[in-house]
Amino acid sequence: MIKHIKSIVSVIAVAFLVYIFTFYIDGEMGIILLAFVLFAPLVSLGFLLYARKRVKVSFNCDAYVPKGGKLPVKVTVTKTGIFPLAIVEIVPYASEIFGQDIKKRKLTMFNETRRTFTIELDALIGGNGEVGIKEMYSCGFMGFFKLPLKTPLPQPISIGVIPPVPEIKASSQLFRSIADVVLTSDEEEENDTAMLLSANTSPGYEHREYELGDPLKRINWKLSSKKGKMMVRLDEAVASVQPVVVLDLYRHSVFPVENVVIGEEKLIRSVFGLLSLLVKQGIACNFIYRTSSGETVSECVDNPDYPDQLLLKVLAAKVIPDKRVDLSHVGGSVCACVIATTDAAGDFGVITRHVDSPDNISIIGLSPTTPNGTSLPMWYLDEENNFKSV
């Protein structure tokens, strides 16, 4: 509205000056100026209308950038046709995890058919973000007219800002509690297997001999020493003694995005700090998260290098407001289940009801003030990268 008022004031000012010049200074020259003032806007309008269908804008950038770094975004403006263009105005945008000091760009094109420029964005917060073109305009040379381009806007690009993953000590109380549960479950599973063997049942039901290519973490060392040969647990047996780590990036639609992205970054750092510690200490686990397609998947983490790859997959997924991670297809009994969530109140029960052993569930929140509508124990990662119990 203010821009329209400025344009009207500018036109009135020019008309007033032409009137003064024509009737009080030099009439002949005033007539020439009057003709120019009337003719020039029409020419400017013609170039403006011509450019509305003759401009195509595209851009590209990297899919990931480390937190604290700069993301260069290369924007390309292509002209079709032989006539020069007036002024093209491009308004880029970036989501809340980037710095918001993003200025619009104006350019004109005469002989060249393509022009490029680069925007540098500051990656401030870890998580998934988006970069795109918000608006594109064709403007007249004199600045009186501005209309949106008729060519479609380019599709936005999803960007992952990689936060630093904290190194959590093995003395952390949360890790020790998980490790104790896994050890107890492992011993119980071995006892069950020994009973099956003593009953002359087929040992292949729970174990089989080691084959080249089997993960070393599936070797049952105690049973191998008893039988004098390498024995590995089958997937079904391994799953029963693997802890489950769930990432629930729940975002309320009523909260401004800029108020929640910092908490989501902290939750991601907490989860992957725990995952890295577990696998480095020889404890394989199942990680459940939502992918970029919106579906919930479970992946086994048994390699120290795999958490870094999973982090990129998590950062590639856009957070969907008011939607929790789905555990309906997981179910079953687990030795330990850690659910990291931004909000353990409200409909959080839709997650925990799919776990057969609720006594084995722990929650990772953002801070001691994270809502917890359950009786489950809650932990949070403090500033010294230690998990503290609420």
Side-chain angles (χ1 to χ4, degrees):
M1 183 64 183
I2 296 177
K3 293 182 179 180
H4 292 300
I5 295 176
K6 289 182 178 179
S7 299
I8 294 174
V9 172
S10 299
V11 172
I12 295 175
V14 171
F16 177 74
L17 292 176
V18 171
Y19 174 80
I20 295 297
F21 199 95
T22 302
F23 292 96
Y24 294 97
I25 300 178
D26 189 337
E28 183 177 350
M29 183 59 67
I31 295 299
I32 297 176
L33 288 176
L34 180 61
F36 173 79
V37 169
L38 293 177
F39 179 72
L42 295 177
V43 174
S44 177
L45 179 62
F47 278 104
L48 178 153
L49 296 175
Y50 171 81
R52 292 185 71 192
K53 298 181 179 179
R54 302 289 180 175
V55 177
K56 181 181 179 181
V57 179
S58 61
F59 68 98
N60 62 79
C61 60
D62 294 334
Y64 298 95
V65 59
K67 179 183 176 180
K70 290 186 177 293
L71 177 70
V73 181
K74 183 179 179 182
V75 182
T76 302
V77 182
T78 305
K79 178 189 71 172
T80 60
I82 60 175
F83 292 101
L85 299 183
I87 298 174
V88 178
E89 179 180 308
I90 299 174
V91 184
Y93 77 93
S95 55
E96 292 75 9
I97 64 174
F98 295 98
Q100 296 301 304
D101 185 21
I102 308 173
K103 297 180 180 180
K104 60 185 178 182
R105 299 296 183 95
K106 292 184 178 181
L107 54 89
T108 185
M109 302 174 68
F110 288 90
N111 297 327
E112 63 269 54
T113 58
R114 176 177 298 181
R115 289 191 62 180
T116 62
F117 62 90
T118 301
I119 304 170
E120 285 196 341
L121 302 176
D122 295 319
L124 304 180
I125 303 172
N128 175 265
E130 185 178 88
V131 175
I133 304 297
K134 185 178 181 181
E135 297 170 338
M136 302 186 302
Y137 295 101
S138 176
C139 308
F141 286 116
M142 302 185 68
F144 293 153
F145 310 105
K146 183 171 74 171
L147 295 174
L149 295 178
K150 290 188 175 181
T151 52
L153 294 171
Q155 290 295 319
I157 299 177
S158 175
I159 308 295
V161 176
I162 307 173
V165 177
E167 292 188 7
I168 301 173
K169 298 179 181 179
S171 59
S172 170
Q173 189 176 354
L174 175 60
F175 168 75
R176 289 167 56 188
S177 64
I178 296 174
D180 290 343
V181 172
V182 172
L183 179 60
T184 302
S185 300
D186 202 1
E187 292 177 347
E188 291 176 351
E189 189 270 335
E190 290 173 0
N191 292 335
D192 292 341
T193 300
M195 293 178 63
L196 288 172
L197 293 174
S198 63
N200 295 323
T201 57
S202 172
Y205 179 75
E206 296 287 347
H207 291 80
R208 62 170 171 79
E209 290 189 34
Y210 174 82
E211 296 178 358
L212 184 64
D214 285 337
L216 295 179
K217 295 186 182 298
R218 293 184 180 177
I219 297 176
N220 188 326
W221 296 105
K222 291 185 179 181
L223 183 61
S224 298
S225 62
K226 293 177 183 179
K227 294 184 67 66
K229 53 185 177 181
M230 302 290 282
M231 302 294 295
V232 295
R233 285 189 293 258
L234 299 180
D235 291 342
E236 295 80 0
V238 172
S240 66
V241 296
Q242 284 185 347
V244 175
V245 180
V246 181
L247 178 59
D248 177 41
L249 288 174
Y250 181 74
R251 179 185 295 177
H252 286 281
S253 58
V254 296
F255 294 156
V257 177
E258 57 270 17
N259 294 349
V260 299
V261 289
I262 296 178
E264 292 172 355
E265 177 196 10
K266 183 176 182 180
L267 196 68
I268 292 173
R269 295 179 68 247
S270 302
V271 166
F272 281 92
L274 178 61
L275 280 177
S276 298
L277 176 60
L278 287 171
V279 71
K280 287 178 181 178
Q281 295 296 320
I283 301 178
C285 57
N286 292 312
F287 178 55
I288 299 176
Y289 66 101
R290 184 180 294 113
T291 64
S292 57
S293 63
E295 63 176 344
T296 299
V297 298
S298 175
E299 297 198 38
C300 180
V301 186
D302 58 2
N303 187 310
D305 297 328
Y306 199 41
D308 292 338
Q309 301 177 32
L310 284 175
L311 176 59
L312 298 183
K313 292 183 179 182
V314 168
L315 297 177
K318 185 177 181 179
V319 178
I320 303 175
D322 299 326
K323 186 174 182 179
R324 294 192 180 272
V325 66
D326 180 20
L327 299 186
S328 60
H329 68 289
V330 179
S333 178
V334 295
C335 65
C337 180
V338 180
I339 303 176
T341 183
T342 52
D343 186 358
D347 59 348
F348 181 72
V350 300
I351 299 179
T352 58
R353 71 184 181 187
H354 295 293
V355 181
D356 292 345
S357 306
D359 294 338
N360 297 336
I361 300 177
S362 296
I363 300 173
I364 295 179
L366 303 178
S367 68
T369 60
T370 300
N372 184 6
T374 71
S375 58
L376 302 173
M378 176 176 284
W379 304 78
Y380 70 97
L381 190 68
D382 65 10
E383 296 179 356
E384 297 179 355
N385 295 330
N386 293 319
F387 281 106
K388 294 290 184 66
S389 177
V390 177

